[in-house]
Each structure stands twice: as C-alpha cells, then as structure tokens.
Amino acid sequence: MTIQIKTLEQYQDAYKRSITDPAAFWAEIAESFTWKKKWDSIVKEDMITPNVRWFDGAKLNFTENCLDRHIEAQGDEIALLWEPNEVDDAVKSYTYKQLLSEVCKCANALKSLGIRKGDRVCFYMPMVPEVAIAMLACARIGAVHSVIFAGFSSNALAERIKDAHAKLVICTDYNRRGPKTIPVKDVVDDALEMGCDSIENVLVYKSTGENVAWGSKDLWWHELVDKQDAECLAEPMDAEDPLFILYTSGSTGKPKGVVHTTAGYMVYTCYTFLNVFQYQKGDVYWCTADVGWITGHSYLIYGPLLSGATTLMFEGVPGYPDIGRFWQIIDKHKVNQFYTAPTALRALMAVGWDEPDKYNFGSIKVLGSVGEPINEEAWRWYDTKIGHGKAPIIDTWWQTETGGIMISSLPGITDTKPCFAAYPLPGVQPVLVDQNGKVIYENQMEGLLCVKYPWPGMLRTTYGNHERCRTTYFAPYKGYYYTGDAAKRDEDGRYRIIGRVDDVINVSGHRIGTAEVEDAINEHPDIVESAVIGYPHDIKGQGIYAYVKITHEVADRESLKKEILDIVTKYIGPIAKPDIIQFVVQLPKTRSGKIMRRILRKIAEKQFDQIGDISTLINPESVEEIKSGAYI
C-alpha cells in the first residue's frame, strides 16, 4: 500500500479501511518506517482510563526515521533551509547528511552533560536551526524535550521548567525578531531564580554575540557542541516512550504538559504531512509556525523530515522589513506548499491588500491555514492574491493534544469550501454530541466535537497528572475524546469548527486559558477580582476582554490599565495582554457565586438583545451597570 493518497477513490477506500479495521490499516502504514523490532500489538483502545497504546512492544529511534533512513537515497538533498531575520544576512541550508552530523554532535554534547534517556530538557529559543538540531538530538539519545515559546515571561518559563523537572535549559543569548533584539538569556536567568532547582546546566547558542550575564551553570554552544564527534548511535526506544512534552493552556490556571510518545506520533505526523500537503520530491515546503507550538513541532520539523522533505524555517516576522516579506520569501525560495495562520493573513490584508500583486507565486501548489478557522474574507483574499485561483486552500483543524491534523480537505483530491475544515482524515472518527452526550447523526446540525476511536498521534497523558488528562479529555463524554470545540456538519458531511466551548481563548491561533490571565490580573493589590473572556477581533480572531473589579476609586484609570498589562506580561507574556480592560462595580454571579461569563461575552460583543435570562443572578442589576460602563 502506498502511504500517499492521490485520488478521491483512494481517499474513500483508505478512510473506509481505516474505520472497519484500524489495526490493519495503520500496520500497513507503519511498514514504511525503520524499526529495530516490530510490534507485538497495533493498538490498545482504552478511551476510558485512558490507556491508549500504539505499536506496543516495538523498538525504534525517532531520528533514524527523520534522518538516517534518507541518507542513502537523498543524503545530499536539502533537509532544512533557514531564512534569517535580516534580508541581507546569509541563508543557511543543511543537507540530510549535514543535519545528521550536527544532530549527532549535539547529542554527544548532551550526553557529556549527563543527559540520559528519560531526562527532560527545556528549550527557550527563537527560530534558529539550532532549535531543530537540539530537539532531534534529544530524540537521538532518548531525552524528552519540552519547547517553551520564547515569548513567554520568566514566570511562565519557570512554572514549566519546574513541572517538567528539567535538568537542562537550551536557549540563545538574544532573539532577533523584526526590528527588536530580545534578551532571551536574561529571561532564562530570571526564571532560574524562581526555584528551578532541577536545572544543572544552561546551554547557550550565540545568536547575536551581545553581552550577557554569565554564571557557573552556563555553557556556550560553540565551545561544547562544535568539538563533539559527528557520530552518535541512536538510543533504542520503546514505541510508547515519551518523545516530548508541550505545555498548553487550559480552563484552570496551571498549564497542562501534553505528552506525545514516539511511534504513534511518528507514523501519524508523517502520514498526515504527505497527504494533507501532497508533498512531492523536490518541493520546498514552508510552515511559518513558531517551534514553541505544536504546529512547529509536527509540520515545520518532524512531519517534513520524516517524509524526506525540504522544510523552510524563518527567523523573522511577516511585516519586517516591509509588508512583502512573506511574499518575497515565497518567490525567492520557490515555495510550493505554504502553511500559515489566519491572523497573519488578516494583518497583511489590513496593511497591504494589493501588496501580493508585486510577486509571482508561480511555484505555489498548496495553501494551508492553521490555528483557528479562517474567515471567508481572508479565504477569498488568500485564494485570489496568493493562489491566483489555482492553488487549493486547506483549512486544517487539529490541536496540541491530537498531535497532527484531524480534519482537512486534501488538495486536488477532495473539494474545498470556505470556512469549512472539510472531511476527517483516514483513521479519524469525529462525532457531534449534544450537552448530554447523545450522538447527533443528522447532517446540517451543530454540536460538541468528539472523536470516538484512538488515532496514533493522540496524547497519552498530561505530564505528572494522568487524572487531569482523564477528567479534561475523556471523562466529559464516556468513550470519547472531547475536543472542547463546537462544530457544525453540513449536508455533505463537511465539518466547520465554530470555536471553543470552554474557558480557553484562541488568540492568533494560540490557546490562552482565561484562568491564567485572571490569576495574573488578580495579583495586583488594588484588584478584588476579574473575569476574562474572548471577543471577536478583526486581526487576531479572538481578543482578550477583561472585566476588572477594584478595591477603591482610582483617579488615573489609564495608569492602572498599564499596570495590569505589565503584570500580565510579567506572569504570562505579551501574548496574553488584554485588548480591552473595563472596570466594573460588580461581576454578574449566580447564587452559588459562579461568574456568568456567557453574559459578559454578549456584552463584549454588544449583543445586548441576546443576553437572555438573568433571573438566576444574585445581582441582576450588575448587567445594566456593565452595559452602561458604570465603574466602582
């Protein structure tokens, strides 16, 4: 069986076989990979406990499948292409042979620091090739990596380091991001002063060479890694050994460490990459996602490398040094598949509607969207201005927890429809349920999106707290994985994702827990309590709206707002700063003390006629007060 689908008939056949006999289907797919020992069983289906296992009993190494197995046939072909922040700086490229050599040197350096199989290594790095090299080096020796977005605050970084009990942090001295130079190591130093006692060393890559503070645990990358041997035997790993931990916001304040394991994630990300993007030998593929998020893991680094692809990494931002930077890179490198977020598209539309007209885009075959549902106006602009009506748009739906894409059209194979993620991929069995967990079988209906059978790329647990994994994802609707999203299904079975139904806000494709933001705001001594909700934002998709109750009259509200923004930045990072802060006399609450965020959402959206019944509130007068802007 070929791993890549080419026709509608092949998709329909693959989907049918993946549902009627999932074990046989995925066993055939898995035959394409390199195993040190084959599996004893294909899948354990426990979605209650949960205890899902794929390819149990198998032995393998993830990096042998990303790198070694491609060396004979395409060792001299480009694996990783790096476009720097500054236009005039040199582009870097690594063949599969060169990338394997660099990964082995880094792996040997990690071993020299005492890093062994099962140890956790945290990353706080910008978009430089060394982040990919070091992630692969961890997988080479069996260490578990946890990449933390390099825009989070020192508090957020420290919280994640402590939760993972990491032994090593890998970072840069500074981060070049557009016109800014960001002191990355300073943030790491601040975090380590917050009780990160498990950290034994900090490995620092010199990105800019500007001065940094230096301590006894600090080591320069170039002094340690560059002198290592370029060969490193790959550590045999069990199929269910953890590959990485990636922290994601939830409806409670503490981030969840989503754990992905080795074999199932490998098989699923490779399969979905090849099919969703229809990658062909010789293509240049570009995903603009930061490696600190799951998209950067699955579809910037791992999916492409597992597939023997050429993947492009970009250090900068879309608007620097001008609004044509994305389009310049596409033409410069003859990009064939382009995968980005609706937030970026809307921002570029707003400042440069006709800017793409200056560029050719003749290489583009597939346009992808990720992070949130793409709105129709952005879809039409993307189709016309970038795809010239010839490149299919894939509006992919998936999550950190799913590991890979779950619902998407297949370019040139299945149809596309604006605002619809479209059809489930082989092996994915989505269902809509009502609030009581009853399955909705009819089309043209709306419900809560769940998945009713395991797929290889799914999360296995939340690090150090399996009960949290169970209660969050598997307990709400017995026997199903609960996505936390609402969706509609049209008359032809296409799925349209409506949005989150829990207390998580999707800001520019990044999930921010409302409780995290509220906890940060409430640290301010003048604030009694706060309620944070998401509201429609023209660029970000969702913005953050904070209703804040303070202890006393404040003469200078603007200064207080600035203090609130500063404290959110300190505890979480700039990405979580509220777009709107409204001071209130009181928050609408039920008699049990629960804040009615449903009402606050309607007020934020100015849908006053849809506020609904307020008779259950202990303080119904609060609604009119908030609507009128009354404060203290």
Side-chain angles (χ1 to χ4, degrees), residues 104-387:
C104 286
K105 287 195 287 185
C106 185
N108 286 325
L110 297 182
K111 289 200 292 186
S112 76
L113 296 177
I115 301 299
R116 297 291 183 265
K117 178 179 178 178
D119 289 341
R120 276 78 60 206
V121 176
C122 279
F123 288 67
Y124 190 75
M125 294 186 78
M127 297 288 282
V128 291
E130 287 69 22
V131 68
I133 289 166
M135 289 167 67
L136 288 159
C138 286
R140 190 78 175 178
I141 64 173
V144 181
H145 64 69
S146 183
V147 183
I148 297 157
F149 175 56
F152 279 137
S153 70
S154 55
N155 294 75
L157 173 60
E159 184 176 35
R160 289 155 174 80
I161 290 172
K162 287 187 282 189
D163 189 76
H165 303 287
K167 289 178 66 174
L168 173 70
V169 174
I170 304 179
C171 67
T172 56
D173 52 357
Y174 289 84
N175 173 9
R176 301 182 304 171
R177 187 166 176 82
K180 301 177 181 177
T181 300
I182 301 166
V184 173
K185 186 175 180 296
D186 285 355
V187 178
V188 173
D189 290 343
D190 289 344
L192 297 191
E193 293 179 0
M194 300 177 192
C196 299
D197 299 331
S198 62
I199 295 296
E200 297 175 0
N201 293 107
V202 178
L203 184 59
V204 186
Y205 175 72
K206 186 179 287 188
S207 180
T208 69
E210 296 184 43
N211 291 331
V212 291
W214 208 249
S216 59
K217 294 182 178 181
D218 299 334
L219 298 159
W220 282 116
W221 175 290
H222 63 274
E223 293 179 354
L224 179 66
V225 176
D226 291 354
K227 68 181 183 182
Q228 301 293 327
D229 191 90
E231 291 186 6
C232 177
L233 290 177
E235 181 75 24
M237 303 296 289
D238 291 337
E240 284 295 325
D241 279 340
L243 177 64
F244 65 86
I245 304 166
L246 193 56
Y247 285 88
T248 183
S249 295
S251 56
T252 60
K254 186 179 174 62
K256 300 187 294 291
V258 171
V259 176
H260 283 290
T261 55
T262 303
Y265 175 84
M266 174 187 75
V267 171
Y268 195 73
T269 49
C270 182
Y271 181 76
T272 51
F273 172 78
L274 282 171
N275 285 294
V276 172
F277 297 100
Q278 286 294 299
Y279 185 88
Q280 300 298 314
K281 184 176 175 61
D283 285 349
V284 175
Y285 163 85
W286 181 20
C287 170
T288 67
D290 190 284
V291 76
W293 309 108
I294 187 64
T295 305
H297 282 55
S298 297
Y299 298 113
L300 170 61
I301 298 175
Y302 290 143
L305 294 180
L306 287 164
S307 305
T310 296
T311 184
L312 173 66
M313 175 186 284
F314 175 44
E315 183 183 26
V317 294
Y320 178 81
D322 58 60
I323 56 173
R325 187 68 190 278
F326 267 11
W327 320 136
Q328 293 162 15
I329 293 172
I330 288 175
D331 274 4
K332 175 181 178 180
H333 294 290
K334 302 295 186 289
V335 171
N336 302 109
Q337 295 89 5
F338 179 61
Y339 195 32
T340 195
T343 300
L345 296 176
R346 287 191 294 265
L348 291 169
M349 285 167 54
V351 297
W353 184 275
D354 294 325
E355 177 69 18
D357 295 346
K358 301 176 184 177
Y359 304 92
N360 181 268
F361 300 118
S363 60
I364 286 291
K365 298 178 182 179
V366 177
L367 296 173
S369 174
V370 63
E372 59 180 301
I374 184 171
N375 58 301
E376 186 161 357
E377 183 184 24
W379 195 99
R380 300 286 181 196
W381 184 82
Y382 203 20
D383 179 48
T384 303
K385 296 288 188 177
I386 314 303

Side-chain angles (χ1 to χ4, degrees), residues 274-545:
L274 282 171
N275 285 294
V276 172
F277 297 100
Q278 286 294 299
Y279 185 88
Q280 300 298 314
K281 184 176 175 61
D283 285 349
V284 175
Y285 163 85
W286 181 20
C287 170
T288 67
D290 190 284
V291 76
W293 309 108
I294 187 64
T295 305
H297 282 55
S298 297
Y299 298 113
L300 170 61
I301 298 175
Y302 290 143
L305 294 180
L306 287 164
S307 305
T310 296
T311 184
L312 173 66
M313 175 186 284
F314 175 44
E315 183 183 26
V317 294
Y320 178 81
D322 58 60
I323 56 173
R325 187 68 190 278
F326 267 11
W327 320 136
Q328 293 162 15
I329 293 172
I330 288 175
D331 274 4
K332 175 181 178 180
H333 294 290
K334 302 295 186 289
V335 171
N336 302 109
Q337 295 89 5
F338 179 61
Y339 195 32
T340 195
T343 300
L345 296 176
R346 287 191 294 265
L348 291 169
M349 285 167 54
V351 297
W353 184 275
D354 294 325
E355 177 69 18
D357 295 346
K358 301 176 184 177
Y359 304 92
N360 181 268
F361 300 118
S363 60
I364 286 291
K365 298 178 182 179
V366 177
L367 296 173
S369 174
V370 63
E372 59 180 301
I374 184 171
N375 58 301
E376 186 161 357
E377 183 184 24
W379 195 99
R380 300 286 181 196
W381 184 82
Y382 203 20
D383 179 48
T384 303
K385 296 288 188 177
I386 314 303
H388 293 169
K390 299 176 182 178
I393 295 175
I394 51 169
D395 183 6
T396 61
W397 175 83
W398 59 297
Q399 302 173 314
T400 302
E401 295 86 348
T402 71
I405 296 167
M406 301 285 279
I407 300 176
S408 174
S409 55
L410 300 183
I413 296 171
T414 61
D415 57 24
T416 61
K417 184 177 179 180
C419 305
F420 281 78
Y423 306 102
L425 297 186
V428 178
Q429 300 186 43
V431 294
L432 298 180
V433 302
D434 63 19
Q435 292 286 351
N436 298 316
K438 182 180 178 182
V439 175
I440 301 168
Y441 291 101
E442 303 84 358
N443 287 344
Q444 303 188 59
M445 297 292 286
E446 177 181 325
L448 304 175
L449 183 60
C450 295
V451 184
K452 72 174 182 179
Y453 191 87
W455 63 99
M458 69 189 296
L459 86 162
R460 299 301 193 266
T461 188
T462 46
Y463 188 74
N465 190 346
H466 190 66
E467 177 64 9
R468 189 178 185 194
C469 175
R470 187 190 71 81
T471 57
T472 302
Y473 303 110
F474 297 92
Y477 302 101
K478 189 175 180 180
Y480 299 108
Y481 166 78
Y482 172 54
T483 70
D485 282 338
K488 293 180 180 179
R489 190 171 52 222
D490 75 3
E491 64 277 5
D492 296 315
R494 301 181 195 87
Y495 286 85
R496 177 176 182 171
I497 310 303
I498 300 170
R500 300 295 299 174
V501 294
D502 58 11
D503 293 326
V504 175
I505 305 171
N506 193 329
V507 180
S508 299
H510 308 316
R511 289 168 59 182
I512 304 294
T514 56
E516 284 185 276
V517 184
E518 289 167 1
D519 288 348
I521 292 172
N522 295 346
E523 287 290 321
H524 194 289
D526 293 336
I527 293 172
V528 178
E529 62 180 343
S530 61
V532 168
I533 55 95
Y535 76 100
H537 191 286
D538 289 343
I539 302 298
K540 300 177 182 179
Q542 275 192 303
I544 298 176
Y545 197 123

